[in-house]
Amino acid sequence: MKQRLSPATQQHLVLTPQLRQAIRLLQLSAAELEAEVAEAVASNPLLDWQDDGALVDPPVTAGAVPASPEPASGDIEPAPDERWETDTEQWQASGSAPAGRDDGSEVEQPDTEESLQDHLLWQLHLGHFSPRDTRIGIALIDAIDDDGYLREDLATLAASLRADIDATPAEMLPVLHRIQQFDPVGVGARDLGECLCLQLQALPADTPARALALSIAAGPLPQLPKLGIDGVSALLGCPPAAAEAAVQLLRTLDPRPGAQHGALPAGSYIRPDCVVWRQQGLWQVALAGGALPRVTIQRDYQQMIRHASSCDADYLRGHLQEARWLLKGLEARADTLLRVVRGLVREQAAFLEFGPQALRPLTLRSVAADLGLHESTVSRAIARKYVRTPRGTLALRDFFASGIGTDDGGSASSTAIQDRIRQLVAGENPRKPLSDARLADTLKAEGVPVARRTVAKYREALQIPASHERMRIG
């Protein structure tokens, strides 16, 4: 006879889809979130728009972050409707704001389109990988398909890369395991079972049915449709109710984690998620208008539950629960996003003040540790998210950069070094352009010890030709 789950266990198990929805909402862009909520309102009779469907909501300030020890002279408190015009004029007057980046429009075109490979490579370069492991990681990421799977076995991949990277499958495996910890969770798996195991391992250890679900994913998963609940129960020696709970948990996981992180279609527009502006020497952080769709629960339908028939009441209760999950998920998304953006502004205030040359080295791990969040949570919070600043609309990933140690014991970000290389090349004598070696010597003289090959890599990333191609005669 099948054992029934206790009410306490059933109540705890319903948190799994709620947690899954919260994770999904967090990684959506502002435009995707609006579409997701609109679909939920259309399908759930207990949901409705607030204020006759208005999506635009005045920014909600999360707090202020000091811009400098002393308030900048001339900073005045602008009216809410004027703060962007005031700040933009101040930055443009100083020559800091890029032309055409901040036109005040509600939606803007992104500078670049980010594919799954771009997202993984960005995390790779922020990690503490050796140069050799970085090259292996690049090769592995290049072999990951759009669904997030590594379909090619390591031996075949190692053989095909032998001309460039002489690595054995045993040497590639630890790098793959680190990539499998990247966002989205489950990426880099070699089959469905491993993909689901990676997602289960990311759940809290006390998640009900997690251990049994791991056993199923690592074992009889391919035979699950044929075995059924009773067959899995007999094979693993567990009660049918426990096997059913484990299978239900598996069904909440994503079998194609990479599919949710494709490139934006050509001509797509983005909506900034947050607003950052300076007011009386402090950096203010707020949600952008429309970043948090305003939805509410229909009280009339909610009151009907008491007087409806059993069948109708169950139907309404199910939709009421879904509506409450959505509202809580939206609230959690807004809170996490504001915390992350406020932390980024606190760490990179100089970047907002002076530009890329002042960008500090910053990694996902350090931000996660500072905010008390998991690294994957921070990664989801910044994925395809944008913030409107006095320097224009920037991707949140622009606030991160790897670092190189300096002679004074500090560190300089790769973005700042690239910006300095761009400045040096722009000011060079066209008849005697600076070689990579001379650029490296100049940076060393400024206290940033970089190798010539590193300068060459940064120069190529900036799409700056070699010195002999930049030479101009006459």
Side-chain angles (χ1 to χ4, degrees):
M1 186 176 78
K2 289 188 177 181
Q3 297 182 5
R4 296 182 58 86
L5 297 176
S6 67
T9 302
Q10 291 178 356
Q11 184 177 7
H12 196 51
L13 276 173
V14 300
L15 294 178
T16 299
Q18 182 180 4
L19 177 61
R20 177 170 169 76
Q21 183 185 48
I23 291 174
R24 172 173 168 75
L25 292 176
L26 180 59
Q27 65 189 14
L28 293 177
S29 66
E32 292 170 337
L33 179 69
E34 181 180 332
E36 180 89 1
V37 174
E39 182 179 350
V41 172
S43 62
N44 191 332
L46 272 79
L47 282 173
D48 196 8
W49 300 110
Q50 284 186 354
D51 299 332
D52 297 327
L55 279 176
V56 178
D57 191 25
V60 182
T61 302
V65 180
S68 57
E70 295 294 334
S73 60
D75 275 354
I76 59 174
E77 180 176 353
D81 294 338
E82 299 175 351
R83 65 171 177 236
W84 280 113
E85 289 79 0
T86 303
D87 283 344
T88 302
E89 289 171 2
Q90 290 176 350
W91 286 79
Q92 288 178 342
S94 64
S96 299
R101 283 298 303 274
D102 191 10
D103 58 3
S105 59
E106 186 181 8
V107 293
E108 303 179 18
Q109 277 190 313
D111 292 336
T112 58
E113 298 177 1
E114 184 188 50
S115 66
L116 174 63
Q117 276 68 29
D118 293 332
H119 185 58
L120 296 176
L121 287 172
W122 173 72
Q123 296 175 78
L124 177 74
H125 291 306
L126 281 180
H128 301 283
F129 288 83
S130 68
R132 175 179 170 81
D133 284 350
T134 299
R135 294 175 63 195
I136 294 175
I138 292 172
L140 290 170
I141 289 173
D142 187 59
I144 292 176
D145 64 16
D146 292 340
D147 289 336
Y149 285 88
L150 182 67
R151 306 289 186 183
E152 202 167 2
D153 64 83
L154 294 182
T156 304
L157 190 59
S160 64
L161 297 173
R162 193 149 293 148
D164 299 322
I165 306 173
D166 187 12
T168 65
E171 293 173 317
M172 301 177 73
L173 188 58
V175 181
L176 176 61
H177 286 163
R178 293 186 63 183
I179 292 174
Q180 289 175 342
Q181 304 305 312
F182 289 177
D183 177 71
V185 180
V187 74
R190 288 159 288 184
D191 54 49
L192 177 61
E194 186 176 26
C195 177
L196 299 182
C197 282
L198 291 171
Q199 296 179 57
L200 289 168
Q201 290 165 1
L203 294 176
D206 60 350
T207 301
R210 175 177 177 267
L212 188 55
L214 277 168
S215 299
I216 296 174
L221 182 67
Q223 293 81 37
L224 183 58
K226 182 178 179 180
L227 292 173
I229 299 298
D230 292 335
V232 171
S233 172
L235 183 64
L236 299 180
C238 63
E244 184 174 1
V247 171
Q248 290 299 326
L249 179 59
L250 288 171
R251 287 173 178 165
T252 67
L253 305 178
D254 190 352
R256 300 171 58 206
Q260 303 297 326
H261 211 290
L264 292 173
S268 296
Y269 284 78
I270 55 95
R271 185 190 302 274
D273 299 85
C274 288
V275 179
V276 175
W277 76 99
R278 192 174 59 184
Q279 181 175 307
Q280 295 185 334
L282 299 176
W283 289 109
Q284 304 285 343
V285 180
L287 289 176
L292 181 61
R294 298 188 61 180
V295 290
T296 186
I297 295 177
Q298 283 271 25
R299 298 302 174 190
D300 293 339
Y301 278 100
Q302 188 174 3
Q303 294 174 0
M304 287 175 57
I305 297 177
R306 304 175 184 175
H307 310 289
S309 63
S310 176
C311 181
D312 291 339
D314 290 342
Y315 171 81
L316 292 174
R317 286 194 189 97
H319 283 293
L320 177 61
Q321 185 180 57
E322 292 177 2
R324 286 172 173 168
W325 284 356
L326 178 64
L327 295 181
K328 289 181 180 179
L330 291 174
E331 183 180 352
R333 179 187 188 275
D335 178 68
T336 302
L337 186 58
L338 284 170
R339 286 181 63 191
V340 171
V341 174
R342 192 178 180 189
L344 294 178
V345 170
R346 181 170 57 249
E347 293 292 334
Q348 301 291 17
F351 166 57
L352 293 171
E353 192 82 24
F354 302 108
Q357 67 272 16
L359 190 68
R360 295 176 52 195
L362 190 64
T363 63
L364 290 171
R365 181 178 301 176
S366 61
V367 173
D370 181 57
L371 299 178
L373 298 173
H374 193 275
E375 198 169 329
S376 64
T377 301
V378 176
S379 180
R380 291 189 185 98
I382 67 173
R384 293 172 295 172
K385 306 297 192 304
Y386 295 81
V387 58
R388 186 186 292 278
T389 76
R391 289 192 168 274
T393 299
L394 306 174
L396 289 184
R397 60 181 291 169
D398 292 341
F399 287 76
F400 292 82
S402 55
I404 294 178
T406 60
D407 290 341
D408 59 3
S411 60
S413 72
S414 58
T415 303
I417 296 172
Q418 291 182 42
D419 189 70
R420 181 56 180 151
I421 291 174
R422 185 188 292 110
Q423 293 176 5
L424 291 172
V425 171
E428 70 184 3
N429 184 346
R431 295 186 178 183
K432 295 182 179 180
L434 298 172
S435 65
D436 294 339
R438 290 183 60 188
L439 288 171
D441 291 340
T442 302
L443 290 171
K444 288 177 183 177
E446 295 177 355
V448 182
V450 292
R452 182 200 60 78
R453 63 180 179 274
T454 303
V455 171
K457 180 181 71 174
Y458 287 162
R459 175 181 55 74
E460 292 171 359
L462 294 169
Q463 298 183 344
I464 297 175
S467 57
H468 68 275
E469 297 177 356
R470 303 197 307 271
M471 184 177 294
R472 299 290 181 269
I473 301 176

